[in-house]
Amino acid sequence: MAGESGKKLFVGPRFRRIRQQLGLSQTQIAEGLGISPSYINLIERNQRPVTAQILLRLAETYDLDLRDLATADEDRFFAELNEIFSDPLFRQIDLPKQELRDLAELCPGVTHSLQRLYAAYTEARRGETLVAAQMADRDEGTRFEANPIERVRDLIEANRNYFPELEQAAEAVRDELNVGSQEVYGALADRLRERHSITTRIMPVDVMRETLRRFDRHRRQLLISELVDSQGRAFQAAFQTGLTEYGSVIDGIVNRAGALDEPARRLYRITLGNYFAAALMMPYAAFHAAAEQLSYDVNVLAQRFNAGFEQVCHRLTTLQRPTARGVPFFLLRVDNAGNVSKRFSSGTFPFSKFGGTCPLWNVHSTFDTPDRLLKQVIELPDGSRYFSIAQMVRRPVAPHPQPQPRFAIGLGCEIRHASKLTYAAGMDLEKAEGTPIGVNCRLCERENCSQRAEPPITRTLILDENTRRASSFAFSNAREL
């Protein structure tokens, strides 16, 4: 974002996103920078420029890395636009990449709207939309709006997976408990009973059956299955504490999201409750300090905070406090069929919204090596490089003969941050060969990939009965227009 001294920049949308990420009003940030609120308003509307001096003052006053704050959202928005406009629907439109970058930078709201419109189009094309008569009866106009998972994912990304109100609330509760990580569950159970007349009970599986947690409002009982391990019990007690004591704070965050249909509202509230629970188990200041001290050793952090591998990885993606920012990680959770059930990014990794992941990414290999943590340098077609670790995790044990749930967790960051991780110790990250992967097959234009599941939608498929290649699909080198 910064330019040469005296250079004027019109970066209103980016400036507004930074202010919102800091949780400041226009008046508050104006006071901090020593300029008028009306000037801030004009800056954000791109009617006044931002000088390099103002940007430097912003960085110094709020301890910001403006490069990280500016590029993460724009790169993500650009990746979304690039994915959308790679569709054959737009093959007759010669749209330069720079125009997409300009749109992502200047009009993030338009980018978000296009993404939702394309999602609705994609589902309609696949026959997953409601019939026209049903749609006519709805106040909200798209099937995508009825998809609470994608809607909540968008909201999490818009907040960069960081909610300062919940962080402060969780730290306050943890300070009041004043117990070690191993005693959190017992202390929370006592707190729920003494302050809210809620009894916490561990129940046998034949009573709970397939349910792991249930709150009985009438009897004021929090019931947790015996199948849930100690980390999970602490998490569920923390979740209930968050909803009980800070429900109004959670509702305030939900209300800021604007109009949401009921499924999305409920899921967002649950997601924020989960966020609070993780923040209580792993309080921000203590967890961030430990992560830095231990060079982000996930297993040691899990032991120190009595948390699971997945819980720690997820928590690492939330370390976005302006005065104590951690490594900007991205996280992916997949099952052994390749279905993505969780994705978070506080960095710039371009997750696909309309497809799976690349099979060359070793996150999928963890099912073959369940007791090993795998590491890998990966490289996308545009040359961007990332460092990732992956490990298989098991969810709460299931009674026989039910299948035991297994998932693979991938955690990564840009290669420039990898030197901070214990997993990269001894590696020459500049010279390390990166495994060439794609966002997914439909967008990847790498040739001769034996793992390719479908041809890229941006190229013409070539069919030749006289030739059999390593890849099942051959395609032209020229992009379709």
Side-chain angles (χ1 to χ4, degrees):
M1 287 183 64
E4 297 176 356
S5 178
K7 183 178 179 180
K8 296 180 178 180
L9 303 173
F10 288 89
V11 289
R14 278 189 274 180
F15 192 95
R16 181 172 57 251
R17 288 201 298 275
I18 290 173
R19 175 179 62 79
Q20 291 172 342
Q21 289 158 10
L22 291 170
L24 300 175
S25 66
Q26 290 184 343
T27 300
Q28 289 171 323
I29 201 167
E31 292 175 354
L33 298 179
I35 55 180
S36 69
S38 61
Y39 191 71
I40 293 292
N41 183 268
L42 292 172
I43 286 174
E44 294 189 356
R45 292 162 56 191
N46 261 353
Q47 295 183 3
R48 290 291 186 276
V50 182
T51 64
Q53 289 87 344
I54 290 179
L55 290 175
L56 290 174
R57 200 180 310 159
L58 180 70
E60 292 171 357
T61 302
Y62 298 104
D63 190 24
L64 303 178
D65 184 336
L66 294 177
R67 178 183 57 181
D68 285 344
L69 281 170
T71 59
D73 283 340
E74 289 161 21
D75 286 350
R76 175 168 58 86
F77 292 152
F78 171 72
E80 291 177 4
L81 287 174
N82 188 48
E83 182 174 4
I84 291 171
F85 283 98
S86 294
D87 193 285
L89 177 69
F90 304 104
R91 67 179 54 175
Q92 301 299 326
I93 303 175
D94 186 8
L95 192 62
K97 289 288 190 289
Q98 187 57 47
E99 289 190 17
L100 295 182
R101 284 203 174 275
D102 291 343
L103 181 61
E105 175 183 339
L106 298 175
C107 305
V110 174
T111 300
H112 179 65
S113 298
L114 283 172
Q115 186 268 324
R116 294 179 65 187
L117 183 62
Y118 182 73
Y121 161 76
T122 301
E123 291 194 3
R125 186 173 60 183
R126 292 175 177 174
E128 298 175 358
T129 187
L130 297 175
V131 297
Q134 291 174 316
M135 293 296 288
D137 292 335
R138 290 182 56 90
D139 292 330
E140 302 297 332
T142 66
R143 165 68 170 165
F144 179 69
E145 184 67 33
N147 185 339
I149 297 175
E150 288 299 332
R151 186 72 181 98
V152 170
R153 281 176 176 171
D154 283 343
L155 292 169
I156 297 298
E157 288 180 355
N159 286 277
R160 298 178 63 80
N161 200 17
Y162 176 69
F163 298 90
E165 306 101 311
L166 297 181
E167 295 288 356
Q168 295 168 7
E171 283 186 309
V173 173
R174 187 59 186 270
D175 287 344
E176 290 178 13
L177 294 179
N178 193 27
V179 296
S181 296
Q182 300 294 333
E183 289 80 40
V184 167
Y185 167 72
L188 286 175
D190 291 342
R191 183 185 182 99
L192 288 170
R193 183 184 67 255
E194 294 168 2
R195 295 196 178 191
H196 309 289
S197 300
I198 296 175
T199 302
T200 304
R201 301 177 61 191
I202 305 301
M203 304 298 291
V205 64
D206 52 327
V207 174
M208 298 293 286
R209 299 185 181 275
E210 73 280 358
T211 302
L212 297 178
R213 168 195 174 277
R214 184 172 73 250
F215 177 55
D216 187 333
R217 292 180 178 275
H218 299 291
R219 298 182 180 179
R220 307 292 291 173
Q221 291 184 346
L222 174 62
L223 309 178
I224 302 175
S225 171
E226 63 182 336
L227 298 181
V228 177
D229 59 19
S230 62
Q231 299 99 325
R233 294 176 186 183
F235 186 91
Q236 296 303 335
F239 176 85
Q240 189 63 51
T241 300
L243 293 186
T244 303
E245 298 190 11
Y246 292 95
S248 60
V249 175
I250 291 173
D251 288 337
I253 298 173
V254 173
N255 292 335
R256 286 206 306 266
L260 295 174
D261 60 13
E262 190 58 27
R265 175 175 289 274
R266 286 180 180 272
L267 180 58
Y268 196 21
R269 198 167 188 271
I270 292 170
T271 301
L272 294 172
N274 288 337
Y275 186 104
F276 175 90
L280 194 156
M281 291 178 63
M282 295 166 274
Y284 195 105
F287 185 78
H288 174 262
E292 291 280 314
Q293 177 192 4
L294 297 170
S295 300
Y296 294 89
D297 190 318
V298 176
N299 286 312
V300 176
L301 287 169
Q303 285 293 110
R304 180 169 297 185
F305 290 91
N306 190 33
F309 184 90
E310 180 179 347
Q311 290 175 330
V312 170
C313 288
H314 192 169
R315 183 62 170 142
L316 288 172
T317 69
T318 68
L319 298 183
Q320 296 298 302
R321 179 172 286 176
T323 57
R325 185 172 283 107
V327 169
F329 285 106
F330 59 85
L331 177 145
L332 182 79
R333 186 179 73 187
V334 299
D335 62 21
N336 56 2
N339 299 305
V340 178
S341 54
K342 182 182 290 187
R343 61 169 182 258
F344 292 104
S345 179
S346 57
T348 61
F349 191 79
F351 284 122
S352 170
K353 289 182 177 294
F354 307 106
T357 60
C358 180
L360 298 178
W361 191 3
N362 70 6
V363 66
H364 303 283
S365 302
T366 60
F367 295 104
D368 299 325
T369 57
D371 298 321
R372 289 180 54 200
L373 184 145
L374 306 180
K375 57 186 181 180
Q376 184 181 33
V377 175
I378 55 179
E379 182 173 327
L380 292 175
D382 64 0
S384 56
R385 288 158 55 87
Y386 300 85
F387 181 83
S388 75
I389 62 171
Q391 183 169 300
M392 193 199 80
V393 297
R394 293 178 173 85
R395 300 303 295 273
V397 64
H400 184 81
Q402 298 178 21
Q404 303 301 310
R406 300 186 305 163
F407 296 91
I409 302 296
L411 182 74
C413 63
E414 293 179 63
I415 200 73
R416 65 190 174 102
H417 298 296
S419 60
K420 296 183 178 181
L421 312 185
T422 186
Y423 306 103
M427 295 180 61
D428 188 336
L429 295 169
E430 295 299 322
K431 296 181 180 179
E433 183 176 354
T435 300
I437 72 167
V439 176
N440 58 35
C441 288
R442 66 194 294 270
L443 296 176
C444 179
E445 298 180 346
R446 297 188 189 277
E447 299 182 18
N448 302 319
C449 176
S450 61
Q451 291 286 295
R452 181 175 287 281
E454 59 180 313
I457 60 178
T458 56
R459 300 295 178 88
T460 300
L461 180 63
I462 297 176
L463 302 173
D464 184 357
E465 64 185 33
N466 297 314
T467 304
R468 178 66 169 90
R469 303 189 182 189
S471 174
S472 299
F473 302 98
F475 45 88
S476 64
N477 291 324
R479 274 178 168 265
E480 288 198 0
L481 297 177

